[in-house]
Amino acid sequence: MSSDRPGPVDATDRTDADLVAEAVVAVPGVHGLHAGVVGEVATYLPGRRVNGVRLLEPGCDVHVVLEFGAPIQETSDLVRQAVRPLVGGPVDVTVEDVVAPGSA
């Protein structure tokens, strides 16, 4: 399992992918972002990547890890609601994993 939370980024270097990542992990029940089975889900930026967010034109794909007990459909809907204003298109949410209670 791979779970990624967005790391600190200088405010002047924040991109749409960073804003999407921040919005996703702020949703209750989301443990973090997930880069996919082989790390294929990411937005590549100069010198770094934002795992779990793939920006499209229009919309985006978001891959997440949920906390155990978080309702999948409702949490996915909350992720879509949080992200849609940032990308102006469809938001596809894939739940890649669920973490056990007390997992870091």
Side-chain angles (χ1 to χ4, degrees):
M1 175 186 73
S2 171
S3 175
D4 294 304
R5 286 208 166 265
V9 175
D10 185 324
T12 59
D13 293 333
R14 289 180 31 180
T15 66
D16 290 344
D18 295 312
L19 297 175
V20 168
E22 291 168 9
V24 170
V25 298
V27 172
V30 173
H31 178 77
L33 292 159
H34 194 288
V37 176
V38 292
E40 73 278 12
V41 181
T43 298
Y44 295 90
L45 301 167
R48 66 186 181 92
R49 56 188 267 158
V50 179
N51 289 327
V53 176
R54 181 184 300 134
L55 296 179
L56 305 168
E57 188 54 47
C60 73
D61 290 334
V62 177
H63 290 231
V64 295
V65 177
L66 297 185
E67 297 170 355
F68 181 80
I72 294 171
Q73 187 62 51
E74 291 86 348
T75 306
S76 297
D77 288 344
L78 290 173
V79 168
R80 283 185 199 88
Q81 290 172 15
V83 172
R84 192 171 288 122
L86 301 172
V87 297
V91 178
D92 293 323
V93 178
T94 301
V95 177
E96 291 275 0
D97 206 350
V98 176
V99 296
S103 295

